[in-house]
Amino acid sequence: MDWQPHITVATVIEDDGRFLFVDEFKAGRMVLNQPAGHLEAKESLREAALRETLEETGWEVELTGLLGIYLYTAPSNGVTYQRVCFSARPVRHDPARELDSDISGITWLTRDELAAQPERWRSELVLRCVDDYLAGIRGSLELVRD
């Protein structure tokens, strides 16, 4: 059997108790997710996180830490994803920037507002990453080697 995990990045961005999420269309429904996406060839994990955040939200951010490395197997297709999740702070927003085609918009939510909508999560990693952030779990960016 040919098994290969998909490497993805995600970014938890917090500003004054609210977190930045994307509304995206996946598997026939609108879901909430952190800005996230696949690592591209010849790209570092940090570069991928910054790029995906900008492309999906119009926000430039500063990465502040490594939040965690998560394994998730999607029940819908059996694909295993390795998610490298960063924490970040917002720097500058370009509201005129065109977002990725599968993104319908962005929203800022508190942890409780997110938790109240489990049917909208892209996966359980959406809340788990926020909870890990709120628990103070952070590694130095020096742990991420290019």
Side-chain angles (χ1 to χ4, degrees):
M1 181 169 132
D2 186 29
W3 178 81
Q4 186 173 2
H6 295 243
I7 299 172
T8 63
V9 295
T11 309
V12 172
I13 302 147
E14 187 260 344
D15 187 39
D16 197 28
R18 299 179 85 75
F19 297 89
L20 180 60
F21 297 97
V22 297
D23 291 302
E24 61 182 340
F25 194 72
K26 293 292 177 189
R29 66 187 187 103
M30 196 61 66
V31 295
L32 286 171
N33 198 10
Q34 278 92 16
H38 290 268
L39 178 68
E40 294 182 356
K42 299 181 182 179
E43 182 176 53
S44 75
L45 292 164
R46 285 183 265 191
E47 289 168 343
L50 294 171
R51 175 186 52 77
E52 287 289 352
T53 301
L54 182 61
E55 290 176 356
E56 292 190 352
T57 69
W59 275 94
E60 292 179 30
V61 298
E62 177 186 350
L63 299 179
T64 57
L66 174 64
L67 189 55
I69 300 170
Y70 304 81
L71 281 180
Y72 174 75
T73 301
S76 61
N77 60 12
V79 172
T80 298
Y81 298 89
Q82 180 185 49
R83 176 187 250 209
V84 179
C85 191
F86 294 91
S87 58
R89 68 172 193 81
V91 174
R92 181 176 29 263
H93 186 235
D94 178 0
R97 182 180 176 88
E98 187 173 326
L99 305 181
D100 280 356
S101 61
D102 58 343
I103 304 296
S104 70
I106 63 172
T107 188
W108 291 87
L109 300 171
T110 65
R111 187 261 181 217
D112 291 343
E113 290 168 335
L114 175 66
Q117 305 177 61
E119 70 285 352
R120 293 195 57 214
W121 305 341
R122 173 132 184 213
S123 76
E124 66 264 14
L125 289 180
V126 177
L127 182 62
R128 185 174 176 196
C129 289
V130 169
D131 284 344
D132 286 351
Y133 174 88
L134 290 171
I137 298 173
R138 306 250 206 313
S140 169
L141 289 173
E142 293 175 355
L143 293 171
V144 182
R145 312 246 185 225
D146 296 335

